Amino acid sequence: MYSRYPGFWKMLTVAVCTAFLGCLQAQELQGHVSIILLGATGDLARKYLWQGLFQLYLDEVGKGHSFSFHGAALTPLKQGQQLIDKALETLSCPQDMAPSQCTELKDQFLQLSQYRQLKTAEDYQSLGRDIEAQVQQEGLQEAGRIFYFSVPPFAYADIARNINSSCRPGPGTWLRVVLEKPFGHDHSSAQQLATELGSFFQEEEMYRVDHYLGKQAVAQILPFRDQNRKALDHLWSRHHVERVEIIMKETVDAEGRISFYEEYGVIRDILQNHLTEVLTLVAMELPHNISDPGAVLQHKLQTFQALRGLRKGSAVVGQYQAYSEQVRRELQKPDSFQSLTPTFAGVLVHIDNLRWEGVPFILMSGKALDERVGYVRVLFRNQAYCAQSERHWVADQSQCLPRQVVFYIGHGDLGSPAVLVSRNLPRTVLPSESWKEVEAQPGRHLFGRPLSDFYIYSPMRERDAYSILISHIFHGRKDSFITTENLLASWHFWTPLLDSLSRETPRHYPGGAESGHLLDFEFSGSQLSFSQQQLEQLVPKPSSAPMPSDFRVLKATYRESPLILSWPEELIAKLASDIEATAMRVVRHFGEFHLALSGGSSPVALFQQLALRHFGFPWAHTHLWLVDERCVLPTDPESNFQSLQAHLLQYIRVPYFNIHPMPVHLHRRLCAEEDQGAQLYAQEIAAQVANSSFDLLLLGMGTDGHTASLFPQSPAGLDGEQLVVLTTSPSWPHQRMSLSLPLINRAKKVAVLVIGRMKHEITMLVSRVGHEPKKWPISGVLPTSSQLVWYIDYEAFLG
């Protein structure tokens, strides 16, 4: 009988299984859920959260759960209830719902919603007792409790303590705690907040909200990539992608939010969270199953680990002109107060892995800009050339048309979320049950191309991000939220840049369309800069104020040696040109050029200048030596050689046998005296450099007067016959290897680069002292050739 009717038995089996699973599901969905909205009278709750909770009720009513909604705040009972009533008046239903049904469901929701003051430990105890009493009186089984923290982060710890002690549900009942950003101010504060919350809640109980992950176009990035693996995965790489743009522009300014904005600024407000999360979704390796939150998180963390560290040159920042005046008014600052908080930022990010190496990811956001729009744009390289003129190109076939995938988050010219794929890319698909392909409206354009150039997909039904995320919280879906590991990885990436920009004066822009091209920026290698130079006044007077162009390069003397004095950019450009000129002259006469370079932060801009601006430099005939090195592994970020590799070597063509790193790592040990690394380097110099006299040697000057790794507290290398020595630094890493002062003074030419206001005090002091290397090692730099030139910027010289 089985063999005669295989189709019948197959259908019967499927029906039985479906019914059985349906019963299990119905059984699973039974129970009462209490949702407590903390900060229920606030702006976020009024604009989004009450509507999101109402939408959850609309979606789940009749599916087995019962609900109660508790709006909570510090406001006294009567006033708080009035505010809640006013917020609930604005609730709306989906457009396709019948008005009578909407009215009925809205009345039900209002009856289930109440306000209560939550201020003291007793208030939380009372809440816990009331929930338990309600469940018992109505004969319900409790499924779980959701606490939504729509309150400032400083209140988290006290609320968490009260929930943990008084409002935890009983065994077999889940607890979900929802946290709104900001999650800290930097890595340290985020770690502290995570530790505090971790003492009260389990990781699986916490849902950190980044509302961008609820936006429909953003939520579609991983499913889109997953469904189109075969068609697009090989194109989704450095071999085909020219760049990725992740943009969020706003037309509004920060007025009314100045207190928050002055503390956080645009990078903390938008880039560190929203845009970084989007970046990981675009760049991460796809797990086998994108529905597995653990696998998604693991692949996200791998992407964070591959991010190249940011530095000051990775970003440009701006501030709309009215901002400081708004700060003075709202925060009662004195008339002289000028804020350094950026309201605009563009950041260049690189990912150092096999898929994305060399591909620029551009993150940009700002207030008071010319339009409100958000999008992710993956722009592919165009390696085709079409012999026919453009008027003969076929829109859906020509390989000469731009090729791009755009996840359009909202607003802007399109006005609604969409996914757009160039028609000259392989045909893609999206989930048919929730997205649909739509026809382009005639005459409309995007990025300078008619919309008819794209396959366009839009959601069947537009939904607010908070409604989507609240639904995910209710169903226990963790993949749309930020874990502790994810959060700390993001802060670890962003904190060094934020620290480096803390004293940076942002470029001022008028706002809106009047800003013109002031905020346009461009990148070269890993360096980002504004396209249009903006001259800053040295003295804040509109008339007769000296400008940087008035002081381009001043030549004078310092410690009886030539002094080049200028603004940092021009100073670096001058030094790079002088080094190139010296190299050309030496190679022309002797065939090879020996250049010794100091480590630290000062020469980084010089390395970048040489790599990206001096294409005629005779690298093939140049030997590169280190003046000093830290006793760390060559892969350590503190390694001077690693800095040289990251900022110079990877961009130039120099024979590998012309590169001479210091041997600080021998026999799996760091700077062990018995390994004789210093003697080995001295022998290598003696063997390859005539008379052990470098053609040019670059030094810096520390705030304590040290140079190379020769320190006042460590007499090693200040005199004697040793050419290379081991020294001790007062700061970590303490062990160093350095050229000695006698070897430095053998160089044919020595350049000392001094940059930054922090160097002003030591610059003034060293200008007055004599030859006292044991107090100030830099004062012992007196090359026998007398070719010593000081390159000092205005801040170091004038303060």
Side-chain angles (χ1 to χ4, degrees), residues 569-623:
E569 286 185 11
E570 292 162 344
L571 189 71
I572 292 295
K574 170 66 174 167
L575 176 55
S577 295
D578 289 351
I579 293 174
E580 182 178 28
T582 302
M584 297 293 285
R585 177 177 53 78
V586 171
V587 168
R588 190 163 55 248
H589 285 89
F590 302 104
E592 58 184 18
F593 175 60
H594 290 272
L595 174 63
L597 297 168
S598 280
S601 58
S602 294
V604 167
L606 172 67
F607 296 163
Q608 294 166 350
Q609 181 82 12
L610 288 170
L612 305 174
R613 295 285 188 272
H614 291 263
F615 300 109
F617 200 102
W619 293 116
H621 305 283
T622 297
H623 285 257

Side-chain angles (χ1 to χ4, degrees), residues 554-571:
L554 297 182
K555 295 185 179 181
T557 59
Y558 178 84
R559 289 182 57 82
E560 300 180 354
S561 293
L563 165 66
I564 306 296
L565 188 64
S566 184
W567 297 104
E569 286 185 11
E570 292 162 344
L571 189 71

